[in-house]
């Protein structure tokens, strides 16, 4: 049995759902999931569909037929994926290890259906973590004078390993335009949600001094505008005057791990669709 996932967005009009479902019915497909959403303000239609076939079906032929018989008629932007193809995920990290350990633990327990061919870091500190999980580690130093050369080296590694998307597991460097252009809406970042109020190296210390009552984390796709890309997932937890700075940091790191993992899973499961810097998440 083969299975495909289809993501669509196009101008909203009547007949889209009927034509899409009829396409799979005529090919003896069994639709096991379908969800749709209409952005009324912009008159845009969004859909996510999963379909199973009793026999092995060529994803290439199905794509070609869908393009000619359905997609062109409705001027669709669409992607069709085979469920049997595991995406290849690269991990970028600096010195903080909590997100890296969490991702690799979920990966080793088969919670994340991906292949991780490499970990790239601008520091050597976490090489032992990569080694303990049996994943190749590449030290790629980044300085003010070598940013372009470092980006070229990163891109070469990613292309060599046929990486599909990138996760920034607390990678403390600005991603160059060349890398963003090569992986549009395929670089996932995580950060605390104090921005833009408490920017800088010690946001939890600043938040503590202000007596904040809520802390949170945000996972999002990376764009050229720093920390302003389409949001995938967010979460919060309440705090009080009784919590110390250490408590805030620990709670924040827990949120970062959870929110980043959810963002990764949504991307792996083809549940995200970006339109006009907004992410539609089919959950």
């Amino acid at each position: 049995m083969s299975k495909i996932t289809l993501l669509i967005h196009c101008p909203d009009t009547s007949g889209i759902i009927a034509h899409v479902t009829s396409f799979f019915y005529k090919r003896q497909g069994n639709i096991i999931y379908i969800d749709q959403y209409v952005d009324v303000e912009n008159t845009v239609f969004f859909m996510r569909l999963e379909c199973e076939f009793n026999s092995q079906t060529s994803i290439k032929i199905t794509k070609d037929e869908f393009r000619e018989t359905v997609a062109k008629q409705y001027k669709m932007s669409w992607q069709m994926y085979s469920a049997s193809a595991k995406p290849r995920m690269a991990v970028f990290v600096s010195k903080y290890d909590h997100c890296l350990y969490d991702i690799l633990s979920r990966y080793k327990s088969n919670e994340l259906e991906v292949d991780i061919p490499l970990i790239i870091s601008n520091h050597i500190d976490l090489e032992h973590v990569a080694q303990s999980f049996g994943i190749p580690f590449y030290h790629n130093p980044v300085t003010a004078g070598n940013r372009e050369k470092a980006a070229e080296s990163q891109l070469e590694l990613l292309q060599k390993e046929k990486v599909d998307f990138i996760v920034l597991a607390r990678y403390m460097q600005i991603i160059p335009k060349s890398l963003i252009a090569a992986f549009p809406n395929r670089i996932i970042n995580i950060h605390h949600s104090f921005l833009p109020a408490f920017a800088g190296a010690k946001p939890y210390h600043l938040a503590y001094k202000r007596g904040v009552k809520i802390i949170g984390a945000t996972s999002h796709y990376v764009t050229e505008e720093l920390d302003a890309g389409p949001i995938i997932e967010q979460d919060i937890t309440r705090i009080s005057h009784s919590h110390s700075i250490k408590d805030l940091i620990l709670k924040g790191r827990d949120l970062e791990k959870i929110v980043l993992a959810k963002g990764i899973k949504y991307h792996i499961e083809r549940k995200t669709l970006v339109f006009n810097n907004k992410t539609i998440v089919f959950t």
Side-chain angles (χ1 to χ4, degrees):
M1 179 178 290
S2 60
K3 177 180 172 183
I4 65 97
T5 299
L6 175 68
L7 290 170
I8 294 169
H9 78 265
C10 63
D12 185 38
T13 187
S14 61
I16 301 173
I17 297 174
H19 277 76
V20 172
T21 54
S22 294
F23 172 85
F24 292 104
Y25 173 74
K26 290 175 182 178
R27 287 155 183 79
Q28 299 182 323
N30 178 32
I31 295 173
I32 58 174
Y33 172 94
I34 186 170
D35 193 5
Q36 66 278 335
Y37 161 71
V38 176
D39 181 340
V40 178
E41 182 178 349
N42 295 296
T43 62
V44 179
F45 175 85
F46 301 87
M47 174 188 279
R48 181 179 184 275
L49 176 149
E50 294 179 10
C51 185
E52 288 183 342
F53 299 88
N54 288 326
S55 58
Q56 291 298 318
T57 300
S58 168
I59 186 73
K60 183 182 185 306
I61 292 174
T62 306
K63 282 183 177 180
D64 291 343
E65 291 178 346
F66 184 82
R67 178 184 301 107
E68 297 302 319
T69 60
V70 182
K72 285 185 178 180
Q73 178 180 347
Y74 292 99
K75 299 178 181 178
M76 292 178 176
S77 295
W78 59 283
Q79 301 91 37
M80 187 181 293
Y81 304 96
S82 170
S84 63
K86 278 187 180 182
R88 293 172 66 78
M89 178 180 87
V91 180
F92 282 35
V93 68
S94 290
K95 291 185 176 183
Y96 292 114
D97 62 5
H98 57 289
C99 286
L100 180 63
Y101 270 118
D102 187 71
I103 289 170
L104 297 183
S105 296
R106 293 174 190 269
Y107 165 67
K108 282 298 183 180
S109 64
N110 296 318
E111 183 180 334
L112 300 177
E113 292 293 326
V114 293
D115 290 325
I116 304 180
L118 76 166
I119 295 169
I120 295 176
S121 179
N122 57 320
H123 296 282
I124 203 72
D125 301 55
L126 300 182
E127 183 176 16
H128 69 282
V129 180
Q131 290 176 343
S132 67
F133 283 88
I135 298 174
F137 180 92
Y138 293 89
H139 181 214
N140 184 249
V142 180
T143 65
N146 80 334
R147 290 187 187 279
E148 289 301 320
K149 186 176 181 181
E152 290 176 8
S153 176
Q154 291 170 353
L155 192 54
E156 183 179 334
L157 282 170
L158 297 170
Q159 291 172 340
K160 178 183 176 182
E161 294 295 340
K162 299 180 180 179
V163 167
D164 295 300
F165 74 107
I166 301 166
V167 171
L168 309 181
R170 294 306 308 272
Y171 181 65
M172 309 306 287
Q173 290 289 326
I174 295 175
I175 303 302
K177 294 180 181 179
S178 58
L179 206 57
I180 295 171
F183 291 86
N185 298 322
R186 290 186 290 144
I187 305 176
I188 300 174
N189 191 24
I190 184 71
H191 62 73
H192 60 80
S193 59
F194 293 139
L195 296 171
F198 304 125
K202 294 186 176 182
Y204 289 100
H205 293 70
L206 296 174
Y208 176 81
K209 289 180 180 179
R210 282 289 304 275
V212 299
K213 300 298 183 280
I214 293 174
I215 61 174
T218 297
S219 65
H220 64 93
Y221 289 113
V222 173
T223 59
E224 290 186 18
E225 187 176 358
L226 184 63
D227 292 329
I231 293 170
I232 308 170
E233 178 66 10
Q234 293 179 298
D235 202 356
I236 61 168
T237 188
R238 297 197 66 85
I239 56 175
S240 74
H241 58 273
S242 65
H243 290 109
S244 66
I245 293 175
K246 182 179 179 181
D247 293 331
L248 268 64
I249 293 173
L250 291 175
K251 286 177 176 289
R253 288 182 177 179
D254 281 343
L255 282 175
E256 288 173 1
K257 291 185 289 186
I258 293 168
V259 170
L260 181 57
K262 284 185 177 180
I264 294 170
K265 289 185 73 173
Y266 291 153
H267 184 88
I268 292 169
E269 295 168 0
R270 318 297 186 184
K271 291 184 176 179
T272 63
L273 204 162
V274 176
F275 180 78
N276 284 352
N277 208 47
K278 179 181 179 180
T279 310
I280 310 299
V281 182
F282 295 98
T283 58

